[in-house]
């Protein structure tokens, strides 16, 4: 059981989330049609390819998607650094 006593302000929420309402017109078709090359046979290379597709396919919508793609690449770099083969 969770007790939630903090009421949220719907106008503040709308101000924070309104971009997503417009973005979904392009984001949903983008992800429905995105394909990855068959040359990428592991999760890391697929994720990096997806990051580049997000950058080129969605970056024109908002700088957020450029940051998202950068974050995806950085996440892989961190993952590889922490999981080095010895």
């Amino acid at each position: 059981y969770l007790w939630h006593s903090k009421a949220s302000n719907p106008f503040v929420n709308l101000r924070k989330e309104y971009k997503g309402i417009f973005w979904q017109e392009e984001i949903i078709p983008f992800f429905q049609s995105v394909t990855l090359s068959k040359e990428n046979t592991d999760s890391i290379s697929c994720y990096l390819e997806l990051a580049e597709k997000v950058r080129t396919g969605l970056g024109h919508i908002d700088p957020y998607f450029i940051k998202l793609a950068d974050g995806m690449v950085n996440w892989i770099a961190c993952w590889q650094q922490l999981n080095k083969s010895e």
Side-chain angles (χ1 to χ4, degrees):
Y1 178 75
L2 290 174
W3 175 258
H4 182 72
S5 63
K6 181 181 171 190
S8 60
N9 183 328
F11 298 107
V12 171
N13 294 345
L14 181 61
R15 188 173 34 235
K16 290 179 182 178
E17 299 171 4
Y18 80 95
K19 287 182 181 180
I21 296 167
F22 298 104
W23 291 352
Q24 70 183 350
E25 298 299 320
E26 290 187 59
I27 295 170
I28 292 171
F30 171 82
F31 281 107
Q32 286 177 330
S33 66
V34 73
T35 58
L36 301 176
S37 63
K38 293 182 181 185
E39 291 78 31
N40 293 327
T41 57
D42 61 45
S43 59
I44 290 174
S45 58
C46 288
Y47 198 70
L48 290 172
E49 182 182 358
L50 182 59
E52 188 54 33
K53 288 183 183 263
V54 166
R55 180 185 318 284
T56 59
L58 299 175
H60 69 279
I61 297 173
D62 192 90
Y64 167 82
F65 295 101
I66 303 296
K67 288 182 181 181
L68 174 62
D70 291 343
M72 293 169 73
V73 171
N74 288 334
W75 187 89
I76 290 295
C78 291
W79 177 264
Q80 290 175 320
Q81 183 69 27
L82 292 171
N83 293 285
K84 286 183 179 179
S85 299
E86 295 192 34

